Amino acid sequence: MKQIKYISPRTKEEALEVLQQEKDRACIVAGCSNVLPNLKDKKIAPQILVDITTLESLKGIFKKEGKILLGPLTTINELISSKIILEEYPVLTQAAREFADPIVRNTATVGGNLVTASPAADLAVPLLSLDAIVKIESLGDKREVNLINFFTAPGETILNSHELVVGIEFKQSDINKNGCFMKIGQRKAMAISIATLAVNLDWKENTINQIRIAAGSVAPTPLRLTGVEEFLKNKKLNQELIEEAVIKVSKEVNPISDIRASEGYRRYISGILFKRAIERLAN
Amino acid sequence: MEEYKIEMKINGERLVATTQADESLLKFLRRNGFFEVKCGCEKGECGTCTVILQGKAVKSCITLALQANNKEVWTIRGMEKFELGRKLQESFVQYGAIQCGFCTPGMILVAKAYLDKNPIPDRKEIKREIAGNLCRCTGYKKIIDAIYAVAEENKKMN
Amino acid sequence: MSQLKIIGKPISRDDAWAKAKGELKYADDFSLPGMLYGKVLHSKYPAAKIISINTEKAKQFSGVRAVLTAGDVPHNETVTRFGQSSEVGKGFEGLYRVLADKKVRFMGEAIALLAADTEEIAEEAINLIEVEYEPLPGVFDPVEAMQPGAYLVGEVDSNIIAQFGCAQGDIERGFKEADIIIEDTYKVPFVDHAYLETESGIAWIDENSVINIRVGSQVIEHFRDVADVLGLPHNRVRYRGTMMGGGFGGKEDITVETYLALLTWKTKKPVRLVYSREESILCHSKRHPFIMHYKVGAKKDGKLVALEAELISDAGAYPYLSPWVNLYATVNAAGPYCIPHIKVNTYCVLTNNTFTSANRGFGAPQPNMAYESIMDELAHQLSINPLEIRRINCLTTGKALSTTGQTFKTYVALPEVAEKAWEALGNPTRIKDKYKKVGQGLAIGLMSYGRMTFLHDSSRCYVRLESDGSILIRSGIPDLGGGQVSILCQIVAEELGVPMSKINIYYSDTALTPLAGTTTATRQTYMSGNAALKAAREIKKRLIYKAAQMMNVHTDNLDIGEEKIIVKYKPSQYLPLIEAIKACNADGIELFCEAQFNGPFTMTPDLSNIRGMIFPDFTFGAQAVEIAVDIETGEVEVLKLVTCYDVGKAINPLSVEGQMEGGSIYGLGYALMEEVIIKDGVTLTPSFSEYIIPTSADVPEAKAILVESGGGLGPYGAKGIGEPACSIIAPAILNAIYNAVGVRIKSLPATPEKIIRTLKGQFN
């Protein structure tokens, strides 16, 4: 018979100790929207569930020195109702509003969405376009990783089994203030994305100073389209440029065909989503 | 299999029972006789198992029973204890929002949690708010009617 | 008759409060002491030889109480029957095999059953059953399966399990007379019923050695089929049907009942068995995919002259209701149109896909999608507006159905409903978004209500007036959520002049309630409604007879209402109902009645050329939609949706609207998003994250327009509405897409990707 244990550490340190000891026998649980279905389907078989939902230090949205720090246990609905996120990082609010459904948003967390590392992780995409940093801790050690380097494969990240995501951080800046998130799914709620795309844009007098483009469901991991970003940098924003960039977006994404959509449609629609996002930001 | 003793207040009444590490709140509740919590998919994809946990609607199939330890849980059977709960039940009955009834507990609970927070939503907001609860019978129209009627009443009282 | 007091009023359903309070117990909301948990082992292959099954490890596992395979089932192979009382011939009775034996025909087919002390043990132990398979090639495409030499799904020499035909006039002459001919092929996919309550139940053996099965079933008459499997007399198996959490045809076949009965019979203990959502999608029936080749000819003025159709349906691995569904499709193949020259051929073919059977609409939604697309194309090519082309051609009162020649004697509302639905849309909405184009679409249709007349259908209902003036009803009627039970309460309340609150009804029990027939074929309001009406009127007659004596008034001048027996011409003069009851009881006048209502009976038709009456009557309707298509993403938003049906008489308008609104959204899902994708026999959409049905965010607020002609065969002139309501929304949406962006989608669902592919050809 299966033997599975549960622990609810009282402090972050205690959680890190458990992880240090149990390593890949442990599975961290918070919002549970993925863990429980995965347990049921026997996709995972941990020996201990480490419930971190009571760790207050991992909750909340904090503003400090030109930066925002999100506790990984911040729920999607907390993001939606945050005034500062809406005003300074609208791309994140937009994505959060399209995340799963209103009930799941009560419990699903930002950290959970990142560590699950689904290619279709809806929050990863705006966080990529915000150039977020992931703060990671383990017993007696810390490190920071740019989100762009966080995902390695479907369901996989650079996170070691003894490590815990303790924060997600991004800068307060003009570019982060001007963002747009686009999603296409099979339906309007409770939809696993066919494609998502986020753009953050800093431009002056029609010239692009800096642009960040991130996409989801169109590659083994959520990704930044750095090729297109590079191409657009310092260029004058006009219709021809957008059209050229649309083609480049379609080429840079790396989707598969599955039951939700074909590779061809995903390439095509990524370009369209990019065009729509840039049009909205430039107007 | 290791057993854990947990305690929660369900519909205002204390329950002490045992659970296992990976048992969902849904299974725990049904195992303890709370059959009014429905099981439609066990993956968080249908909303029939919705309960109110600490004032918020959650899908009990994707919540660990242990996560409700020492907390307050409300199911449809407890809604009679709230004026809003009774009004919603009455309205669902009156407006024909109930056909097979399998989604009804979840729908009423999600509406209760929502109206507690936002007592006077418009129809569009209601439609958005119940999007995590599937209904295969009604086409949602009469469910929206029923919730909206309660919102209208709230408006009059304000 | 005096004015109706309860009939026709939007009243709260009898079952609504219990559901609103969470007090209603569905099939598995129940436990018994010492109950075991059942589990089914399903095939891992769609087509394979079973070389061996080793159950030893599972049997040895601690807590396992029984493991059964085909050899343990007393009569593992019987035939599918659906409560019919007449002999209908072998063509309709397919093989019902409880557990796979020697060969598996689809992935998900049941191979073994297991019962254990706990759910966890059952789940673990089921995987200890070792099955050695030898995979076979299988066949997954019905057209391929029809060919000579194709892989044989079953044990007989052809995969074609049913063929039907209809013809009238001279098809060749018809096409010669045509000015314009449209020929095309249309396809529809597998879809799931997606009721929120999965297949589930509990069984036990009572003190009289009767196997009791508590289950949500649309056909409680399956108790006979379960008894046959066990080799028991029919009266030793009892269904105790519960309210269902949705049925939509999916609980029309036996689901888990046979498994439950076998496990409880073997262990002598109560057993619970609940399908997971995945099992429900993988292992139980689906709606038939059809490939439909149509050729339609018309004159320049839009008048139809000829229609030829070849319909091929995928029956999946076992026949179940496939022949019946295909018969419906055949009769519906020319839609509600007058066409002098007709030829329809339908082929129903076995494959190694999941089996297909009843699904709301029962063979109508499929051809409806095809012929209504063609009507729209004709209108377009001839520059006639969509309403006009339908008005020119549709059936009207006194005309005959083109496929079978059955004449419509009562009001045919088609012109009226078409106009009302179309007009209710109003002018196209203006949308500012430059990427969105708005379109409107219309479809009309007819669908039968009541079972095929050669099944000799009947329903029974028992009504008893208590000495305190309360009423008890007993009816075998199953309620799948549509309010079937409540309708009977309403009818009896009306007839006997008591409020709904004074009625108590027992339903869906094969031992104690008179059998009311199946909750299928949109038949319960019609059939059981009439049975309840008959029983209540008989009691009413007796009450009035007694009251007339007591009041010294002629019976013709008395009526019942508000718990009184009233003098019609002088309502202030009355006898309280309770007094009449007392008097009847004292005189030994029976204040109970069990009545049977029979539908029309006909002979089994010639299936190669079906003519004459097949169905008792039809419901006529129209659905109109307005949509916006995003021309770059292909996304479709349905802005308006109007459903207009002649329902005869709305016994409870709230329930009728509920059917029309819910039915149209059921159809919207079919049109835009639903598909059980089965590739080489493997289901790729086994959960609700892959099998997508509409959420509240995906649908408009559907509008229902009720026409009440009073021309139906049901009580008070009611017609059936449950299935018709979902059967033509898909073509209305497809036609609206064409109207918006000029592309005709010929296979469902019309996904954004399909629309963009059709619009733009290849990507990039």
Side-chain angles (χ1 to χ4, degrees):
Chain A
M1 292 253 33
K2 59 181 178 171
Q3 286 296 335
I4 182 164
K5 287 183 182 165
Y6 170 90
I7 186 168
S8 173
R10 274 155 299 174
T11 62
K12 185 174 78 184
E13 288 64 35
E14 198 187 325
L16 295 175
E17 271 170 39
V18 175
L19 291 179
Q20 186 68 40
Q21 207 180 317
E22 300 290 338
K23 300 225 169 56
D24 52 13
R25 288 185 297 271
C27 173
I28 296 167
V29 297
C32 264
S33 48
N34 287 304
V35 173
L36 264 168
N38 285 344
L39 279 168
K40 187 174 151 30
D41 285 348
K42 301 188 171 59
K43 284 182 188 161
I44 52 172
Q47 287 173 27
I48 182 163
L49 300 178
V50 184
D51 182 0
I52 57 170
T53 41
T54 53
L55 302 183
E56 292 303 321
S57 67
L58 301 183
K59 292 178 186 170
I61 301 168
F62 305 98
K63 190 177 170 180
K64 54 169 193 183
E65 300 150 21
K67 283 179 187 164
I68 282 282
L69 179 70
L70 297 181
L73 294 183
T74 306
T75 66
I76 312 304
N77 268 338
E78 282 161 4
L79 272 186
I80 293 175
S81 45
S82 161
K83 213 173 139 212
I84 182 155
I85 297 292
L86 177 66
E87 282 167 6
E88 305 276 336
Y89 314 93
V91 68
L92 197 50
T93 311
Q94 291 164 31
R97 282 181 183 148
E98 299 211 27
F99 188 95
D101 67 76
I103 307 180
V104 169
R105 296 199 286 258
N106 275 331
T107 45
T109 64
V110 180
N113 193 240
L114 294 185
V115 300
T116 302
S118 159
D122 277 357
L123 277 194
V125 175
L127 287 169
L128 279 168
S129 77
L130 291 171
D131 203 25
I133 300 282
V134 184
K135 295 177 160 258
I136 298 165
E137 286 186 23
S138 55
L139 200 61
D141 205 1
K142 318 182 158 186
R143 59 173 176 149
E144 288 187 354
V145 176
N146 193 310
L147 188 58
I148 206 168
N149 299 318
F150 184 73
F151 304 109
T152 53
E156 285 177 33
T157 69
I158 53 102
L159 211 60
N160 293 309
S161 58
H162 65 293
E163 289 180 316
L164 184 68
V165 171
V166 296
I168 297 113
E169 192 177 79
F170 37 89
K171 286 183 190 142
Q172 201 172 12
S173 62
D174 287 347
I175 182 167
N176 279 355
K177 215 170 176 170
N178 191 30
C180 179
F181 175 81
M182 294 274 168
K183 167 168 173 166
I184 182 157
Q186 286 174 295
R187 62 180 172 192
K188 296 272 183 285
M190 288 200 277
I192 296 177
S193 303
I194 287 172
T196 54
L197 192 123
V199 176
N200 275 81
L201 173 70
D202 177 19
W203 65 314
K204 216 176 267 169
E205 288 150 15
N206 259 344
T207 302
I208 298 172
N209 288 337
Q210 200 191 354
I211 187 166
R212 297 197 208 105
I213 309 164
S217 285
V218 288
T221 69
L223 79 166
R224 279 267 296 274
L225 305 181
T226 47
V228 189
E229 291 176 8
E230 210 43 49
F231 166 75
L232 288 169
K233 204 172 176 179
N234 299 326
K235 294 233 167 75
K236 279 242 183 267
L237 192 59
N238 57 35
Q239 203 52 46
E240 292 91 275
L241 185 75
I242 293 175
E243 274 164 30
E244 244 181 291
V246 163
I247 294 166
K248 288 190 186 293
V249 168
S250 296
K251 284 189 177 152
E252 191 167 346
V253 295
N254 179 25
I256 54 163
S257 294
D258 64 14
I259 54 156
R260 295 185 178 88
S262 71
E263 179 198 335
Y265 182 73
R266 283 196 163 101
R267 285 190 186 278
Y268 161 82
I269 207 70
S270 300
I272 297 297
L273 294 182
F274 168 74
K275 188 186 77 165
R276 298 262 175 112
I278 198 95
E279 278 177 359
R280 192 169 298 174
L281 292 174
N283 280 332
Chain B
M1 192 79 187
E2 199 155 335
E3 297 273 336
Y4 296 84
K5 193 168 143 194
I6 55 173
E7 180 179 334
M8 56 186 93
K9 225 176 180 183
I10 305 174
N11 299 330
E13 282 172 35
R14 195 163 150 262
L15 175 82
V16 181
T18 57
T19 185
Q20 294 174 351
D22 59 349
E23 185 173 45
S24 68
L25 181 57
L26 167 64
K27 285 231 160 143
F28 173 82
L29 288 170
R30 287 185 64 85
R31 200 165 48 75
N32 284 287
F34 296 88
F35 285 123
E36 70 273 24
V37 187
K38 300 287 168 245
C39 173
C41 74
E42 287 198 83
K43 297 265 176 82
E45 291 155 359
C46 78
T48 57
C49 67
T50 302
V51 298
I52 297 177
L53 176 65
Q54 298 294 89
K56 283 181 182 166
V58 301
K59 296 185 176 181
S60 63
C61 72
I62 48 171
T63 305
L64 292 174
L66 277 154
Q67 289 180 318
N69 192 15
N70 296 317
K71 290 183 180 166
E72 227 177 67
V73 176
W74 292 93
T75 77
I76 190 70
R77 295 296 288 268
M79 284 302 99
E80 284 174 52
K81 296 190 179 172
F82 300 95
E83 197 192 347
L84 180 57
R86 288 193 301 272
K87 275 188 190 169
L88 280 164
Q89 288 172 325
E90 171 99 49
S91 194
F92 268 63
V93 169
Q94 191 191 331
Y95 283 84
I98 301 171
Q99 287 194 28
C100 85
F102 212 76
C103 75
T104 306
M107 284 287 184
I108 290 180
L109 288 162
V110 80
K112 158 80 167 58
Y114 181 55
L115 293 182
D116 272 337
K117 201 168 62 180
N118 178 11
I120 315 176
D122 62 26
R123 293 182 77 92
K124 258 195 180 153
E125 288 172 309
I126 293 167
K127 209 170 135 178
R128 206 160 51 212
E129 206 58 28
I130 61 169
N133 297 69
L134 295 177
C135 169
R136 190 57 155 168
C137 299
T138 65
Y140 305 102
K141 163 86 164 37
K142 296 207 184 304
I143 293 172
I144 299 167
D145 285 345
I147 300 171
Y148 187 65
V150 175
E152 283 280 276
E153 210 181 304
N154 289 341
K155 202 167 163 183
K156 274 182 218 146
M157 287 184 350
N158 274 14
Chain C
M1 194 161 89
S2 60
Q3 233 187 346
L4 296 171
K5 295 189 177 66
I6 299 172
I7 299 298
K9 303 288 184 295
I11 61 162
S12 304
R13 268 165 51 173
D14 178 66
D15 52 327
W17 267 112
K19 288 173 176 174
K21 289 181 169 182
E23 287 167 358
L24 189 116
K25 298 267 182 289
Y26 296 83
D28 80 316
D29 295 342
F30 198 73
S31 33
L32 284 167
M35 188 170 70
L36 305 176
Y37 295 80
K39 196 87 193 147
V40 182
L41 179 75
H42 304 284
S43 167
K44 284 182 181 163
Y45 294 91
K49 228 186 250 175
I50 298 177
I51 306 291
S52 66
I53 305 175
N54 185 347
T55 59
E56 276 317 301
K57 277 186 196 158
K59 279 180 176 159
Q60 298 308 320
F61 195 79
S62 170
V64 170
R65 302 294 163 192
V67 182
L68 302 178
T69 57
D72 302 310
V73 182
H75 300 274
N76 192 47
E77 293 185 359
T78 59
V79 292
T80 51
R81 290 175 66 85
F82 299 87
Q84 61 265 31
S85 43
S86 62
E87 288 299 324
V88 291
K90 288 240 181 309
F92 290 101
E93 289 177 352
L95 167 68
Y96 174 59
R97 182 180 282 154
V98 182
L99 295 175
D101 190 12
K102 300 185 190 82
K103 185 178 179 185
V104 291
R105 295 190 183 188
F106 72 100
M107 198 170 140
E109 182 167 2
I111 293 178
L113 307 172
L114 179 147
D117 292 344
T118 70
E119 213 175 330
E120 289 70 29
I121 294 172
E123 270 172 26
E124 197 158 339
I126 197 84
N127 295 319
L128 299 177
I129 300 173
E130 295 162 334
V131 183
E132 196 188 332
Y133 299 93
E134 182 190 315
L136 294 168
V139 62
F140 308 103
D141 173 64
V143 176
E144 214 175 286
M146 283 171 76
Q147 307 310 316
Y151 172 84
L152 290 174
V153 176
E155 290 80 30
V156 290
D157 58 2
S158 168
N159 290 324
I160 301 175
I161 52 167
Q163 278 184 61
F164 300 104
C166 281
Q168 80 172 6
D170 176 346
I171 194 70
E172 280 172 27
R173 206 184 95 204
F175 283 117
K176 270 184 204 144
E177 285 171 9
D179 297 320
I180 175 170
I181 292 172
I182 292 177
E183 194 169 356
D184 228 320
T185 301
Y186 298 83
K187 287 181 184 173
V188 288
F190 289 98
V191 300
D192 192 57
H193 310 83
Y195 25 69
L196 294 180
E197 177 205 38
T198 59
E199 298 79 355
S200 57
I202 288 165
W204 67 94
I205 300 175
D206 70 18
E207 59 279 14
N208 297 319
S209 308
V210 172
I211 293 178
N212 283 252
I213 308 172
R214 189 187 152 87
V215 69
S217 170
Q218 294 175 238
V219 181
I220 57 171
E221 286 78 359
H222 284 314
F223 75 97
R224 298 173 184 139
D225 307 312
V226 172
D228 287 346
V229 167
L230 287 163
L232 294 173
H234 288 180
N235 66 2
R236 294 285 159 180
V237 173
R238 173 179 177 189
Y239 268 44
R240 296 169 177 240
T242 55
M243 286 270 171
M244 279 164 267
F248 312 108
K251 294 168 185 168
E252 187 165 340
D253 299 292
I254 292 175
T255 61
V256 294
E257 302 99 289
T258 318
Y259 309 147
L260 280 166
L262 283 163
L263 288 171
T264 203
W265 165 80
K266 184 77 182 175
T267 61
K268 309 283 178 259
K269 287 188 161 200
V271 179
R272 175 206 298 252
L273 201 162
V274 182
Y275 265 6
S276 67
R277 177 57 54 189
E278 287 70 20
E279 283 176 298
S280 179
I281 296 178
L282 288 166
C283 312
H284 196 56
S285 76
K286 302 287 154 274
R287 178 184 278 173
H288 290 77
F290 269 74
I291 300 162
M292 302 171 285
H293 188 75
Y294 267 80
K295 186 176 170 189
V296 176
K299 301 296 261 184
K300 268 188 209 129
D301 62 2
K303 198 91 185 121
L304 295 168
V305 286
L307 178 144
E308 188 174 2
E310 185 191 68
L311 313 178
I312 298 169
S313 77
D314 186 342
Y318 284 95
Y320 284 89
L321 286 156
S322 288
W324 307 100
V325 171
N326 280 262
L327 176 60
Y328 266 64
T330 310
V331 173
N332 244 56
Y337 297 112
C338 299
I339 311 170
H341 307 288
I342 291 264
K343 190 180 165 198
V344 180
N345 282 306
T346 305
Y347 303 90
C348 182
V349 192
L350 288 179
T351 65
N352 293 98
N353 294 319
T354 308
F355 71 91
T356 49
S357 193
N359 184 315
R360 193 177 194 175
F362 207 83
Q366 294 98 331
N368 293 2
M369 174 270 191
Y371 74 71
E372 277 303 80
S373 293
I374 289 184
M375 288 306 284
D376 201 65
E377 183 61 28
L378 261 180
H380 169 70
Q381 291 197 18
L382 294 169
S383 303
I384 301 175
N385 92 34
L387 179 63
E388 191 55 26
I389 194 136
R390 288 171 174 89
R391 200 152 40 192
I392 296 170
N393 290 294
C394 75
L395 295 164
T396 50
T397 314
K399 294 265 175 59
L401 188 63
S402 299
T403 43
T404 61
Q406 180 172 351
T407 308
F408 299 105
K409 291 180 190 115
T410 55
Y411 178 58
V412 176
L414 286 164
E416 182 184 349
V417 292
E419 196 173 312
K420 284 193 164 144
W422 191 237
E423 279 177 3
L425 278 188
N427 291 328
T429 306
R430 285 182 184 204
I431 291 191
K432 279 183 199 144
D433 192 327
K434 64 176 174 179
Y435 297 118
K436 285 195 175 151
K437 288 204 170 159
V438 173
Q440 297 188 329
L442 175 69
I444 65 170
L446 83 174
M447 198 181 163
S448 56
Y449 63 94
R451 298 186 91 181
M452 286 161 270
T453 47
F454 60 97
L455 287 169
H456 297 195
D457 194 18
S458 64
S459 174
R460 291 174 211 150
C461 182
Y462 170 92
V463 178
R464 185 171 88 211
L465 194 49
E466 283 296 336
S467 54
D468 65 349
S470 66
I471 291 174
L472 189 141
I473 304 174
R474 292 195 268 120
S475 162
I477 192 167
D479 194 321
L480 43 65
Q484 286 82 12
V485 161
S486 187
I487 287 290
L488 303 192
C489 299
Q490 223 184 320
I491 291 168
V492 173
E494 177 72 47
E495 290 301 320
L496 294 177
V498 301
M500 287 278 279
S501 58
K502 286 210 168 172
I503 294 187
N504 191 23
I505 182 165
Y506 292 84
Y507 53 87
S508 228
D509 183 325
T510 57
L512 300 184
T513 61
L515 292 178
T518 64
T519 297
T520 69
T522 308
R523 68 178 279 286
Q524 287 295 13
T525 296
Y526 161 44
M527 294 295 296
S528 298
N530 273 326
L533 187 75
K534 196 172 165 187
R537 284 196 174 156
E538 182 55 38
I539 296 170
K540 182 176 174 178
K541 202 170 84 190
R542 294 170 195 168
L543 282 167
I544 286 184
Y545 165 80
K546 187 68 212 166
Q549 284 180 354
M550 294 166 77
M551 297 167 80
N552 211 5
V553 178
H554 194 272
T555 53
D556 288 351
N557 292 327
L558 291 177
D559 202 355
I560 297 190
E562 291 167 355
E563 299 176 86
K564 293 169 201 159
I565 295 168
I566 307 162
V567 178
K568 284 181 191 169
Y569 53 80
K570 195 181 172 197
S572 61
Q573 192 188 338
Y574 65 85
L575 178 74
L577 181 63
I578 195 86
E579 297 302 324
I581 293 170
K582 277 183 194 161
C584 286
N585 285 344
D587 280 5
I589 296 172
E590 294 172 8
L591 291 182
F592 60 86
C593 176
E594 181 172 329
Q596 171 160 330
F597 177 79
N598 293 330
F601 292 178
T602 58
M603 305 284 283
T604 303
D606 170 6
L607 300 179
S608 62
N609 187 15
I610 302 161
R611 303 303 293 170
M613 179 189 261
I614 304 295
F615 296 104
D617 195 18
F618 291 81
T619 303
F620 304 97
Q623 295 186 307
V625 296
E626 179 179 281
I627 52 130
V629 182
D630 187 313
I631 53 170
E632 284 189 335
T633 66
E635 289 170 295
V636 173
E637 186 186 356
V638 182
L639 305 172
K640 294 179 195 163
L641 194 162
V642 185
T643 299
C644 179
Y645 274 84
D646 174 12
V647 299
K649 171 75 189 169
I651 305 251
N652 184 350
L654 266 186
S655 290
V656 172
E657 284 168 16
Q659 289 303 307
M660 287 164 73
E661 293 159 7
S664 54
I665 300 308
Y666 195 91
L668 179 150
Y670 191 42
L672 294 175
M673 60 183 82
E674 295 182 29
E675 178 175 11
V676 176
I677 302 173
I678 304 181
K679 193 169 183 286
D680 296 335
V682 181
T683 298
L684 304 179
T685 51
S687 76
F688 273 164
S689 70
E690 290 120 358
Y691 188 77
I692 300 294
I693 68 170
T695 72
S696 58
D698 298 288
V699 305
E701 291 195 22
K703 185 180 170 74
I705 302 174
L706 279 60
V707 170
E708 296 183 84
S709 68
L713 302 178
Y716 316 98
K719 294 189 167 203
I721 186 64
E723 292 179 272
C726 78
S727 67
I728 44 177
I729 201 74
I733 288 174
L734 297 180
N735 294 344
I737 292 170
Y738 184 81
N739 182 241
V741 292
V743 297
R744 201 163 288 289
I745 304 299
K746 294 171 191 168
S747 70
L748 295 180
T751 59
E753 172 161 359
K754 215 178 265 176
I755 291 169
I756 289 298
R757 271 185 193 282
T758 317
L759 250 173
K760 299 196 182 267
Q762 285 306 308
F763 295 118
N764 305 324

